[in-house]
Amino acid sequence: MSHEITIQQAADRADQANVTLLMLRRSIEDMDTSEIETAVNLAQGLIDYVSAWLIEEQSQREAADAK
């Protein structure tokens, strides 16, 4: 299976998730439940791509090392 995103895209999405969570942490007291849920879902969606990329990258490196 080949990577569906590049390392740069994974890094960008991780950074976007970090910024989203930082904004959430700083303004959570002024947000209603639906806004909090939206921000958490956005961060989760960004992190899903990054974690999938990292898992696949680790698998590929382990396979290469086993050769």
Coordinates of all heavy atoms in Angstrom, one line a residue:
M1 N 0.9 -1.2 0.0 CA 0.0 0.0 0.0 C 0.9 1.2 0.0 O 1.8 1.4 0.8 CB -0.9 0.0 1.2 CG -1.7 1.3 1.4 SD -2.5 1.4 3.0 CE -4.0 0.5 2.7
S2 N 0.6 2.2 -0.9 CA 1.5 3.4 -0.9 C 0.8 4.5 -0.1 O -0.4 4.5 0.2 CB 1.6 3.9 -2.4 OG 0.4 4.2 -2.9
H3 N 1.6 5.4 0.3 CA 1.1 6.5 1.1 C 0.1 7.3 0.3 O 0.3 7.6 -0.9 CB 2.2 7.5 1.5 CG 3.1 7.0 2.6 ND1 2.7 6.3 3.7 CD2 4.5 7.0 2.7 CE1 3.8 6.0 4.4 NE2 4.9 6.4 3.8
E4 N -1.0 7.7 1.0 CA -2.0 8.5 0.3 C -1.7 10.0 0.4 O -2.3 10.8 -0.3 CB -3.4 8.1 0.8 CG -3.8 6.7 0.4 CD -5.2 6.4 0.9 OE1 -6.0 7.4 1.2 OE2 -5.6 5.2 0.9
I5 N -0.9 10.3 1.4 CA -0.5 11.7 1.6 C 1.0 11.8 1.7 O 1.6 10.7 2.0 CB -1.2 12.4 2.8 CG1 -0.8 11.7 4.1 CG2 -2.7 12.4 2.6 CD1 -1.3 12.5 5.3
T6 N 1.6 12.9 1.5 CA 3.0 13.0 1.6 C 3.4 13.4 3.0 O 2.6 13.7 3.8 CB 3.6 14.2 0.7 OG1 3.0 15.4 1.1 CG2 3.1 13.9 -0.8
I7 N 4.7 13.3 3.3 CA 5.2 13.6 4.6 C 4.9 15.1 4.9 O 4.5 15.5 6.0 CB 6.7 13.3 4.8 CG1 7.1 13.4 6.3 CG2 7.6 14.2 3.9 CD1 8.4 12.9 6.6
Q8 N 5.0 16.0 3.9 CA 4.7 17.4 4.1 C 3.2 17.6 4.4 O 2.9 18.4 5.3 CB 5.1 18.2 2.9 CG 4.9 19.7 3.1 CD 5.7 20.3 4.2 OE1 6.9 20.1 4.3 NE2 5.1 21.0 5.1
Q9 N 2.4 16.9 3.8 CA 0.9 17.0 4.0 C 0.6 16.5 5.5 O -0.2 17.1 6.2 CB 0.1 16.2 3.0 CG 0.1 16.8 1.6 CD -0.5 15.9 0.6 OE1 -0.3 14.7 0.6 NE2 -1.4 16.5 -0.3
A10 N 1.3 15.4 5.9 CA 1.1 14.9 7.2 C 1.6 15.9 8.2 O 0.9 16.2 9.2 CB 1.8 13.6 7.4
A11 N 2.7 16.6 8.0 CA 3.2 17.6 8.9 C 2.3 18.8 8.9 O 2.0 19.3 10.0 CB 4.6 18.0 8.5
D12 N 1.8 19.2 7.8 CA 0.8 20.3 7.7 C -0.4 20.0 8.5 O -0.9 20.9 9.3 CB 0.5 20.7 6.3 CG 1.6 21.3 5.5 OD1 2.6 21.7 6.2 OD2 1.5 21.3 4.3
R13 N -1.0 18.8 8.4 CA -2.2 18.5 9.1 C -2.0 18.4 10.6 O -2.8 18.7 11.4 CB -2.8 17.2 8.5 CG -3.3 17.4 7.1 CD -3.8 16.2 6.5 NE -4.2 16.5 5.1 CZ -4.8 15.6 4.3 NH1 -5.1 14.4 4.7 NH2 -5.2 16.0 3.1
A14 N -0.8 17.9 11.0 CA -0.5 17.8 12.4 C -0.4 19.2 13.0 O -0.9 19.5 14.1 CB 0.8 17.1 12.6
D15 N 0.2 20.2 12.2 CA 0.3 21.6 12.6 C -1.1 22.2 12.7 O -1.4 22.9 13.7 CB 1.2 22.3 11.7 CG 1.4 23.8 12.1 OD1 1.8 23.9 13.3 OD2 1.2 24.7 11.4
Q16 N -2.0 21.9 11.7 CA -3.3 22.4 11.8 C -4.1 21.9 13.0 O -4.9 22.6 13.6 CB -4.0 22.1 10.5 CG -3.5 22.8 9.3 CD -4.0 22.2 8.0 OE1 -4.7 21.2 7.9 NE2 -3.7 22.9 6.8
A17 N -3.9 20.6 13.3 CA -4.6 20.0 14.4 C -4.1 20.7 15.7 O -4.9 21.0 16.6 CB -4.4 18.5 14.5
N18 N -2.8 20.9 15.8 CA -2.2 21.6 16.9 C -2.8 23.0 17.1 O -3.2 23.4 18.3 CB -0.7 21.6 16.8 CG 0.0 22.1 18.1 OD1 -0.4 21.7 19.1 ND2 0.9 23.0 17.9
V19 N -2.9 23.7 16.1 CA -3.4 25.1 16.2 C -4.9 25.0 16.6 O -5.4 25.8 17.4 CB -3.3 25.8 14.8 CG1 -4.1 27.1 14.8 CG2 -1.8 26.1 14.6
T20 N -5.7 24.1 16.0 CA -7.1 24.0 16.3 C -7.3 23.7 17.8 O -8.1 24.3 18.5 CB -7.7 22.8 15.5 OG1 -7.6 23.1 14.1 CG2 -9.2 22.6 15.8
L21 N -6.5 22.7 18.3 CA -6.6 22.4 19.8 C -6.1 23.5 20.7 O -6.7 23.8 21.7 CB -5.8 21.1 20.0 CG -6.4 19.9 19.4 CD1 -5.4 18.7 19.5 CD2 -7.8 19.6 19.9
L22 N -5.1 24.3 20.2 CA -4.6 25.4 21.0 C -5.7 26.5 21.1 O -6.0 27.1 22.1 CB -3.4 26.0 20.4 CG -2.8 27.3 21.0 CD1 -2.4 27.0 22.5 CD2 -1.6 27.8 20.2
M23 N -6.4 26.8 19.9 CA -7.5 27.7 19.9 C -8.6 27.2 20.8 O -9.2 28.0 21.5 CB -8.0 27.9 18.5 CG -7.0 28.7 17.6 SD -7.4 28.7 15.8 CE -9.1 29.3 15.8
L24 N -8.9 25.9 20.7 CA -10.0 25.4 21.5 C -9.7 25.6 23.0 O -10.5 26.0 23.8 CB -10.2 23.9 21.2 CG -11.2 23.1 22.0 CD1 -12.6 23.7 21.8 CD2 -11.2 21.7 21.6
R25 N -8.4 25.3 23.4 CA -8.0 25.4 24.8 C -8.2 26.8 25.3 O -8.6 27.1 26.4 CB -6.6 24.9 25.0 CG -6.2 24.9 26.4 CD -4.8 24.3 26.6 NE -3.9 25.4 26.1 CZ -2.6 25.2 26.0 NH1 -2.1 24.0 26.2 NH2 -1.8 26.1 25.6
R26 N -7.8 27.8 24.5 CA -7.9 29.2 24.9 C -9.3 29.8 24.9 O -9.5 30.8 25.6 CB -7.0 30.0 23.9 CG -5.5 29.7 24.1 CD -4.7 30.6 23.3 NE -3.3 30.4 23.6 CZ -2.3 31.0 23.0 NH1 -2.6 31.9 22.0 NH2 -1.0 30.8 23.3
S27 N -10.2 29.2 24.1 CA -11.5 29.8 24.0 C -12.7 28.9 24.4 O -13.8 29.3 24.2 CB -11.7 30.4 22.6 OG -11.6 29.3 21.7
I28 N -12.4 27.8 25.0 CA -13.4 26.8 25.3 C -14.5 27.4 26.2 O -15.7 27.0 26.1 CB -12.8 25.5 25.9 CG1 -13.9 24.4 25.8 CG2 -12.4 25.7 27.3 CD1 -13.3 23.0 25.9
E29 N -14.2 28.3 27.1 CA -15.2 28.8 28.0 C -16.2 29.7 27.3 O -17.3 29.9 27.8 CB -14.5 29.6 29.1 CG -13.6 28.7 30.1 CD -12.8 29.5 31.1 OE1 -12.9 30.8 31.1 OE2 -12.1 28.9 31.8
D30 N -15.8 30.3 26.1 CA -16.7 31.1 25.4 C -17.5 30.4 24.3 O -18.2 31.0 23.5 CB -15.9 32.3 24.7 CG -15.3 33.1 25.8 OD1 -15.8 33.3 26.9 OD2 -14.2 33.6 25.5
M31 N -17.3 29.0 24.2 CA -17.9 28.3 23.2 C -19.1 27.4 23.7 O -19.1 27.0 24.8 CB -16.9 27.3 22.6 CG -15.7 28.0 21.9 SD -14.4 26.9 21.4 CE -15.1 26.3 19.9
D32 N -20.1 27.2 22.8 CA -21.2 26.3 23.2 C -20.8 24.9 22.8 O -19.8 24.7 22.1 CB -22.5 26.8 22.6 CG -22.6 26.7 21.1 OD1 -21.9 25.8 20.5 OD2 -23.3 27.6 20.5
T33 N -21.6 24.0 23.2 CA -21.3 22.6 23.0 C -21.1 22.2 21.5 O -20.2 21.5 21.1 CB -22.5 21.7 23.6 OG1 -22.6 22.0 24.9 CG2 -22.2 20.2 23.4
S34 N -21.9 22.8 20.6 CA -21.8 22.4 19.2 C -20.5 23.0 18.6 O -19.9 22.4 17.7 CB -23.0 22.9 18.4 OG -23.1 24.3 18.4
E35 N -20.1 24.1 19.1 CA -18.8 24.7 18.6 C -17.6 23.9 19.1 O -16.7 23.6 18.3 CB -18.6 26.1 19.0 CG -19.6 27.1 18.4 CD -19.6 28.5 19.1 OE1 -19.4 28.6 20.3 OE2 -19.8 29.5 18.3
I36 N -17.7 23.4 20.3 CA -16.6 22.5 20.8 C -16.6 21.2 20.1 O -15.5 20.8 19.7 CB -16.9 22.3 22.3 CG1 -16.7 23.6 23.1 CG2 -15.9 21.2 22.8 CD1 -17.2 23.5 24.6
E37 N -17.8 20.7 19.8 CA -17.8 19.4 19.1 C -17.3 19.6 17.6 O -16.5 18.7 17.2 CB -19.3 18.9 19.0 CG -19.4 17.6 18.3 CD -20.9 17.1 18.3 OE1 -21.6 17.4 19.3 OE2 -21.3 16.5 17.3
T38 N -17.6 20.7 17.0 CA -17.1 20.9 15.7 C -15.5 21.0 15.7 O -14.9 20.5 14.8 CB -17.7 22.2 15.1 OG1 -19.1 22.1 15.0 CG2 -17.1 22.6 13.7
A39 N -15.0 21.8 16.6 CA -13.5 21.9 16.7 C -12.9 20.6 17.0 O -11.8 20.2 16.4 CB -13.2 22.9 17.8
V40 N -13.4 19.8 17.9 CA -12.9 18.5 18.2 C -12.9 17.6 17.0 O -12.0 16.9 16.7 CB -13.6 17.8 19.4 CG1 -13.2 16.4 19.6 CG2 -13.3 18.6 20.7
N41 N -14.0 17.6 16.3 CA -14.2 16.7 15.1 C -13.2 17.2 14.0 O -12.6 16.3 13.3 CB -15.6 16.8 14.5 CG -16.5 16.0 15.4 OD1 -16.2 15.1 16.1 ND2 -17.8 16.4 15.3
L42 N -12.9 18.5 13.9 CA -12.0 19.0 12.9 C -10.6 18.5 13.3 O -9.8 17.9 12.4 CB -12.0 20.5 12.9 CG -10.9 21.2 12.0 CD1 -11.1 20.8 10.6 CD2 -11.0 22.7 12.2
A43 N -10.2 18.6 14.5 CA -8.9 18.1 15.0 C -8.7 16.6 14.8 O -7.7 16.1 14.3 CB -8.7 18.5 16.4
Q44 N -9.8 15.9 15.1 CA -9.7 14.4 15.0 C -9.5 14.1 13.5 O -8.8 13.2 13.2 CB -11.0 13.8 15.5 CG -11.0 12.3 15.3 CD -12.3 11.7 15.7 OE1 -13.3 12.3 16.1 NE2 -12.4 10.3 15.7
G45 N -10.2 14.7 12.6 CA -10.1 14.4 11.2 C -8.7 14.7 10.7 O -8.1 13.9 9.9
L46 N -8.1 15.8 11.2 CA -6.7 16.1 10.8 C -5.7 15.0 11.3 O -4.8 14.6 10.7 CB -6.3 17.5 11.3 CG -7.0 18.6 10.6 CD1 -6.8 19.9 11.4 CD2 -6.6 18.8 9.2
I47 N -5.9 14.7 12.6 CA -5.0 13.7 13.3 C -5.2 12.3 12.7 O -4.2 11.6 12.6 CB -5.3 13.7 14.8 CG1 -4.8 15.1 15.4 CG2 -4.6 12.6 15.5 CD1 -5.3 15.3 16.8
D48 N -6.4 11.9 12.2 CA -6.6 10.6 11.6 C -5.6 10.4 10.4 O -5.0 9.3 10.3 CB -8.0 10.5 11.1 CG -9.0 10.2 12.2 OD1 -8.6 9.9 13.4 OD2 -10.2 10.3 12.0
Y49 N -5.5 11.4 9.6 CA -4.6 11.3 8.4 C -3.2 11.1 8.9 O -2.4 10.3 8.3 CB -4.7 12.5 7.5 CG -5.9 12.5 6.6 CD1 -7.0 13.3 6.9 CD2 -6.0 11.7 5.5 CE1 -8.1 13.4 6.1 CE2 -7.1 11.8 4.7 CZ -8.2 12.6 5.0 OH -9.3 12.6 4.2
V50 N -2.8 11.9 9.9 CA -1.4 11.9 10.3 C -1.1 10.5 11.0 O 0.0 9.9 10.7 CB -1.1 13.0 11.3 CG1 0.3 12.9 11.9 CG2 -1.3 14.4 10.6
S51 N -2.0 10.0 11.8 CA -1.7 8.8 12.5 C -1.7 7.6 11.5 O -0.8 6.7 11.6 CB -2.7 8.5 13.6 OG -4.0 8.4 13.1
A52 N -2.6 7.6 10.5 CA -2.5 6.6 9.4 C -1.2 6.7 8.7 O -0.6 5.6 8.4 CB -3.7 6.8 8.5
W53 N -0.8 7.9 8.4 CA 0.5 8.0 7.6 C 1.7 7.4 8.5 O 2.5 6.7 8.0 CB 0.8 9.5 7.3 CG 2.0 9.6 6.4 CD1 1.9 9.6 5.0 CD2 3.3 9.7 6.8 NE1 3.2 9.8 4.5 CE2 4.1 9.8 5.6 CE3 4.0 9.8 8.0 CZ2 5.5 9.9 5.6 CZ3 5.4 9.9 8.0 CH2 6.1 10.0 6.8
L54 N 1.7 7.8 9.7 CA 2.8 7.3 10.6 C 2.8 5.8 10.8 O 3.8 5.2 10.7 CB 2.7 8.0 12.0 CG 3.0 9.5 12.0 CD1 2.6 10.1 13.4 CD2 4.5 9.7 11.7
I55 N 1.6 5.2 10.9 CA 1.5 3.7 11.0 C 2.0 3.1 9.7 O 2.7 2.1 9.8 CB 0.0 3.3 11.3 CG1 -0.3 3.8 12.8 CG2 -0.2 1.8 11.1 CD1 -1.8 3.7 13.1
E56 N 1.6 3.6 8.6 CA 2.0 3.0 7.3 C 3.5 3.2 7.1 O 4.2 2.3 6.7 CB 1.3 3.7 6.2 CG 1.6 3.0 4.8 CD 0.7 3.5 3.7 OE1 -0.3 4.3 3.9 OE2 1.0 3.2 2.6
E57 N 4.0 4.4 7.5 CA 5.5 4.6 7.4 C 6.3 3.7 8.2 O 7.3 3.1 7.8 CB 5.8 6.1 7.7 CG 7.2 6.5 7.7 CD 7.8 6.5 6.2 OE1 7.0 6.5 5.3 OE2 9.0 6.4 6.1
Q58 N 5.8 3.5 9.5 CA 6.5 2.5 10.3 C 6.5 1.1 9.8 O 7.5 0.4 9.8 CB 5.9 2.5 11.7 CG 6.5 1.6 12.7 CD 8.0 2.0 13.0 OE1 8.3 3.2 13.0 NE2 8.8 1.1 13.3
S59 N 5.3 0.7 9.2 CA 5.2 -0.6 8.6 C 6.2 -0.8 7.5 O 6.8 -1.8 7.3 CB 3.8 -0.8 8.2 OG 3.7 -2.1 7.5
Q60 N 6.3 0.2 6.6 CA 7.2 0.2 5.5 C 8.6 0.1 5.9 O 9.4 -0.6 5.3 CB 6.9 1.4 4.5 CG 5.6 1.3 3.8 CD 5.4 2.5 2.9 OE1 6.2 3.4 2.8 NE2 4.2 2.5 2.2
R61 N 9.0 0.9 6.9 CA 10.4 0.9 7.4 C 10.7 -0.5 8.0 O 11.8 -1.0 7.8 CB 10.6 2.0 8.4 CG 10.6 3.3 7.8 CD 10.8 4.4 8.8 NE 10.8 5.7 8.1 CZ 11.3 6.8 8.6 NH1 12.0 6.8 9.7 NH2 11.2 7.9 8.0
E62 N 9.8 -1.1 8.8 CA 10.0 -2.4 9.4 C 10.2 -3.4 8.3 O 11.0 -4.3 8.4 CB 8.9 -2.8 10.3 CG 8.9 -2.0 11.6 CD 7.7 -2.2 12.5 OE1 6.8 -3.0 12.1 OE2 7.7 -1.6 13.6
A63 N 9.4 -3.3 7.2 CA 9.5 -4.3 6.1 C 10.8 -4.1 5.4 O 11.4 -5.1 5.0 CB 8.3 -4.1 5.1
A64 N 11.3 -2.9 5.2 CA 12.5 -2.7 4.6 C 13.7 -3.2 5.4 O 14.7 -3.7 4.9 CB 12.7 -1.2 4.3
D65 N 13.6 -3.0 6.7 CA 14.6 -3.5 7.7 C 14.7 -5.0 7.7 O 15.8 -5.5 8.0 CB 14.4 -2.9 9.1 CG 14.7 -1.4 9.2 OD1 15.3 -0.8 8.2 OD2 14.3 -0.8 10.1
A66 N 13.6 -5.6 7.5 CA 13.5 -7.1 7.5 C 14.2 -7.8 6.3 O 14.5 -8.9 6.4 CB 12.1 -7.6 7.7
K67 N 14.4 -7.0 5.3 CA 15.0 -7.6 4.0 C 16.4 -7.8 4.2 O 17.2 -7.3 4.8 CB 14.7 -6.6 2.9 CG 13.2 -6.6 2.5 CD 13.0 -5.7 1.3 CE 11.5 -5.7 1.0 NZ 11.2 -4.8 -0.2

